[in-house]
Amino acid sequence: MKATYHWGVHKFALFVVAWTTVLVTAGALVTSEDAALAVPDWPLSYGTLNPPMVGGIAFEHSHRLIAAALGLLVIILASLLWRYDERPSVRYLGLVAVGGVIFQGILGGLTVLKLLHYWLPVMHACTAQLVFVILVSIAFFTSRWWMQDLPQYEDRGYPSIHAIVAFNAFFIFVQVLAGAGFRHRYLSLKPHVFGAPIVLAMVFWTAAALRRRFPQVPEISRARVWLHSIVGLQILLGIVALWTRIVSADDPQPMLPVVVATVVHTVVGALLFATSIVTVLLCYRLVPRKREVLFATTRGEVPAQ
Ligand code: HEM
Ligand code: HEM
């Protein structure tokens, strides 16, 4: 369906993505500073909206405030999409984003009230990444690039490029899950460390398939470079996060190097997952699926090359 580009809506969506990056950083700080239970109640903090911002309370309460502001921003974004976007799928995605942020907020509250039991912190960490990629997708769908007429490229390989990039994103998400499982002490480090070479191999395979099949498409080449660079950076950061933990094992925690390394590793994890999802969307936008090609040719339309 044809859609009209709205500069304001797209820029606002980008701002919401930037805000969510700040929120993910603030959340990761809560975990790394061991401040999750510094505020024992929810939805208020010590029965007020304005508790003394000292020690762990400062981390936990500011995370809640930034999350509340995100709630407001996402409601505004969904209203803008409802008002200005002609595509029902994008309008509904706006509503899904609102639902996702509300769900995430409740999960955060339950994490505190249930004292970090029942895998709640792991779910909260992983849903955060899902909310993040939903908002990144909205920003992508509202961009001028997405809405313009674009050349379409044929995928001659097997398995289809759509399947490869989707698997790549799936593996990265499982790796994030394993990281969150370890970070919140529900899993050992083994699945996460053994998962890293698998993710790396998956990214290499994905990037190689993209290069072989679409060497002349600048957007796809850019996505390949980003995937490679971020996965490399993330593995280095993971090694640094582990190393800072090991060398400061006998020191009183939280030590600054551990906090910085683990927070940055968590946030870059979200950026890697988002890049893998953007790659999936790029492929769906530029490469018609086999059955679309078949359908178009039986109707006498030849897919553009
Ligand atoms: C609405 C959007 C929210 C997002 C996107 C979000 C995101 C995050 C992220 C990324 C983390 C770090 C997880 C990690 O490092 O493993 C986190 C931690 C945390 N969040 Fe949220 N959060 C949100 C709302 C809330 C709310 C409303 C609360 C209310 C209590 C909350 C409470 C917590 C707590 C207690 C932690 C630390 C968990 C732990 O250390 O085990 N969050 N959040
Ligand atoms: C592509 C590969 C990797 C990805 C996508 C990834 C992603 C993540 C993410 C997202 C988290 C935090 C989860 C959360 O709670 O939100 C995490 C935690 C962690 N990761 Fe990775 N990681 C990767 C590779 C590695 C490697 C190679 C190592 C070390 C050898 C490593 C060590 C760790 C450690 C130690 C933590 C827990 C941080 C803490 O101490 O709290 N990661 N990882």
Side-chain angles (χ1 to χ4, degrees):
M1 176 185 224
K2 266 276 174 224
T4 319
Y5 173 67
H6 291 283
W7 183 87
V9 176
H10 176 54
K11 293 293 176 243
F12 188 71
L14 286 177
F15 174 68
V16 176
V17 168
W19 189 266
T20 314
T21 314
V22 173
L23 176 56
V24 169
T25 312
L29 267 172
V30 172
T31 304
S32 293
E33 285 285 344
D34 211 359
L37 300 180
V39 179
D41 52 343
W42 180 79
L44 292 174
S45 300
Y46 288 97
T48 160
L49 284 175
N50 193 18
M53 294 294 256
V54 289
I57 304 174
F59 289 103
E60 171 62 12
H61 189 66
S62 45
H63 174 55
R64 293 181 183 195
L65 292 179
I66 299 170
L70 178 69
L72 202 66
L73 291 173
V74 171
I75 291 172
I76 298 173
L77 178 62
S79 318
L80 289 174
L81 292 173
W82 204 262
R83 167 81 180 75
Y84 292 109
D85 206 299
E86 293 93 344
R87 297 161 296 178
S89 50
V90 176
R91 289 162 154 217
Y92 284 113
L93 194 60
L95 295 186
V96 171
V98 173
V101 172
I102 293 173
F103 179 76
Q104 174 69 355
I106 294 173
L107 214 50
L110 287 177
T111 300
V112 171
L113 297 179
K114 299 290 172 195
L115 306 174
L116 313 182
H117 289 311
Y118 313 114
W119 287 74
L120 285 163
V122 180
M123 287 188 243
H124 187 67
C126 293
T127 324
Q129 304 245 358
L130 294 176
V131 167
F132 183 58
V133 298
I134 290 173
L135 294 168
V136 168
S137 307
I138 292 179
F140 199 22
F141 295 147
T142 53
S143 67
R144 189 195 291 279
W145 183 86
W146 186 274
M147 291 181 195
Q148 69 194 348
D149 284 328
L150 290 165
Q152 300 291 289
Y153 301 91
E154 193 185 341
D155 177 20
R156 293 175 199 272
Y158 181 83
S160 77
I161 200 66
H162 305 92
I164 296 177
V165 290
F167 264 120
N168 180 57
F170 173 76
F171 272 76
I172 291 175
F173 187 69
V174 173
Q175 176 69 352
V176 166
L177 181 76
F182 170 67
R183 186 160 159 78
H184 297 281
R185 304 190 189 97
Y186 280 90
L187 294 175
S188 79
L189 186 56
K190 266 196 204 133
H192 191 61
V193 168
F194 289 136
I198 299 175
V199 166
L200 188 63
M202 190 66 210
V203 168
F204 278 162
W205 183 44
T206 306
L210 289 169
R211 193 192 55 230
R212 230 179 306 110
R213 296 184 199 183
F214 309 105
Q216 77 285 35
V217 185
E219 293 89 344
I220 290 185
S221 305
R222 236 172 281 140
R224 274 196 290 116
V225 172
W226 279 109
L227 271 177
H228 266 306
S229 321
I230 304 181
V231 83
L233 174 67
Q234 179 66 350
I235 289 180
L236 278 179
L237 287 168
I239 293 169
V240 174
L242 188 58
W243 179 73
T244 54
R245 261 182 175 246
I246 292 170
V247 296
S248 66
D250 297 328
D251 299 331
Q253 294 296 344
M255 294 291 284
L256 188 63
V258 181
V259 172
V260 173
T262 52
V263 168
V264 176
H265 184 61
T266 302
V267 176
V268 176
L271 297 181
L272 177 62
F273 182 46
T275 308
S276 71
I277 294 291
V278 167
T279 310
V280 172
L281 299 179
L282 261 181
C283 287
Y284 274 86
R285 183 66 184 86
L286 292 173
V287 186
R289 277 167 297 168
K290 292 247 161 61
R291 62 186 135 87
E292 287 167 355
V293 176
L294 196 66
F295 182 63
T297 8
T298 51
R299 286 173 45 198
E301 299 161 17
V302 180
Q305 183 61 263

